Amino acid sequence: MQCTDVFFLRADICQLGVDQRKVNMLAREYCDHAKIKRKPVILSHHMLYGLKQGQAKMSKSDPDSAVFMEDTAEDVERKIMKAYCPREEEEEEN
């Protein structure tokens, strides 16, 4: 589904986490088979930690773990105010 989104949305640039790299590369490989000359540019970034303590990454299945484009201003403020932020001493210990 994600691979088809690239073409349905006519994306020139795909910016996703490294965990989605295989899907992005599939989209580029498909361009060769479909004779599409303009392959999407792939920008992969490191995973972003979730907003809750102990979350290795943000997740769509946990709406409070991330800020989404469609969130209301109230939702964004609530999520940011509840977000986990380690104290400086905790960071130095790790």
Side-chain angles (χ1 to χ4, degrees):
M1 186 81 149
Q2 270 183 315
C3 187
T4 59
D5 287 346
V6 171
F7 301 104
F8 178 76
L9 297 172
R10 297 183 180 161
D12 294 321
I13 300 173
C14 298
Q15 180 263 324
L16 294 167
V18 292
D19 63 327
Q20 302 299 318
R21 186 175 185 282
K22 288 182 182 179
V23 170
N24 286 333
M25 297 315 295
L26 177 63
R28 288 183 54 87
E29 290 171 11
Y30 172 76
C31 290
D32 292 333
H33 296 289
K35 306 220 184 315
I36 298 172
K37 293 180 182 178
R38 292 184 54 156
K39 294 182 181 181
V41 173
I42 307 301
L43 298 175
S44 298
H45 58 76
H46 293 285
M47 300 304 299
L48 301 175
Y49 290 108
L51 298 177
K52 296 179 178 178
Q53 184 174 1
Q55 285 186 315
K57 67 178 193 171
M58 295 182 179
S59 171
K60 284 184 184 177
S61 62
D62 182 355
D64 285 333
S65 74
V67 174
F68 299 102
M69 296 294 291
E70 63 272 4
D71 283 349
T72 64
E74 293 81 17
D75 285 339
V76 172
E77 183 176 358
R78 177 182 54 77
K79 290 178 181 185
I80 296 299
M81 294 305 291
K82 288 177 58 178
Y84 173 70
C85 182
R87 297 190 323 239
E88 190 172 336
E89 303 89 50
E90 290 177 26
E91 289 181 358
E92 290 174 3
E93 291 174 9
N94 294 328

